[in-house]
Amino acid sequence: MSKHRLELKWALIFCAMMLSWMALEKAVGLHDVHIAQHMVWTNLVAVPAIAIYVLALLEKRRKLGGAMSWKEGFFSGMIITLIVTVLTPLTQYITSSLITPEYFANVTRFSVEQGMMTQEAAEANFNLHSYMVQATIGALIMGTVTSALVALFVKRKARV
């Protein structure tokens, strides 16, 4: 794993950012009093998420002597993505049990009260298992897309 120490470092930074983001959402009331706005504001997590990938791949490029192909950048981003994907069930568990244990009950109640779902559908959707699966698949898909796009922007040919 020492070969991929940089990717491990940035994957752990990414996971720490996600936990911090969840704590911030909780602190500003997006998991209870302002739950109606949660679906809009939670998408802003893309900004620090993409920034972390940019910083990671820029550091990788520096470590490679200032030149990096798209393939090298994408591979590095995918290693970060795979580590984040493996850690996602743990970060989701920490979020759901320590940071905001009442979130599932709140979002279930909100969805039912707003007529968005039946009680049964909301309970099936808003629970730890469902969120672990959704978050893990989402981490893999979004990490792959982010890796591909960021690698495109940070690639640089060697100077002659």
Side-chain angles (χ1 to χ4, degrees), residues 108 112 117-127:
T108 296
V112 172
M117 296 181 179
T118 64
Q119 182 72 30
E120 296 76 27
E123 288 173 2
N125 190 48
F126 302 118
N127 62 69

Side-chain angles (χ1 to χ4, degrees), residues 78-118:
M78 284 307 298
I79 293 170
I80 295 168
T81 296
L82 292 175
I83 297 168
V84 168
T85 300
V86 167
L87 293 174
T88 292
L90 176 62
T91 59
Q92 190 60 55
Y93 176 79
I94 292 168
T95 297
S96 301
S97 63
L98 299 176
I99 297 172
T100 183
E102 68 287 342
Y103 174 73
F104 293 133
N106 291 342
V107 73
T108 296
R109 184 173 47 258
F110 175 78
S111 297
V112 172
E113 287 173 358
Q114 296 300 308
M116 302 163 127
M117 296 181 179
T118 64

Side-chain angles (χ1 to χ4, degrees), residues 13-117:
I13 290 169
F14 188 94
C15 290
M17 179 279 297
M18 288 302 294
L19 291 171
S20 299
W21 186 268
M22 291 299 110
L24 176 65
E25 282 188 2
K26 165 82 171 147
V28 299
L30 291 177
H31 295 182
D32 43 50
V33 295
H34 302 298
I35 203 161
Q37 287 85 43
H38 181 258
M39 287 191 345
V40 173
W41 292 105
T42 196
N43 292 316
L44 288 178
V45 75
V47 174
I50 292 168
I52 286 171
Y53 273 79
V54 169
L55 293 171
L57 295 188
L58 287 173
E59 183 176 343
K60 182 68 171 189
R61 188 176 75 190
R62 280 192 302 277
K63 296 249 189 223
L64 293 173
M68 183 172 71
S69 68
W70 176 86
K71 185 178 176 181
E72 290 169 319
F74 179 68
F75 183 73
S76 181
M78 284 307 298
I79 293 170
I80 295 168
T81 296
L82 292 175
I83 297 168
V84 168
T85 300
V86 167
L87 293 174
T88 292
L90 176 62
T91 59
Q92 190 60 55
Y93 176 79
I94 292 168
T95 297
S96 301
S97 63
L98 299 176
I99 297 172
T100 183
E102 68 287 342
Y103 174 73
F104 293 133
N106 291 342
V107 73
T108 296
R109 184 173 47 258
F110 175 78
S111 297
V112 172
E113 287 173 358
Q114 296 300 308
M116 302 163 127
M117 296 181 179

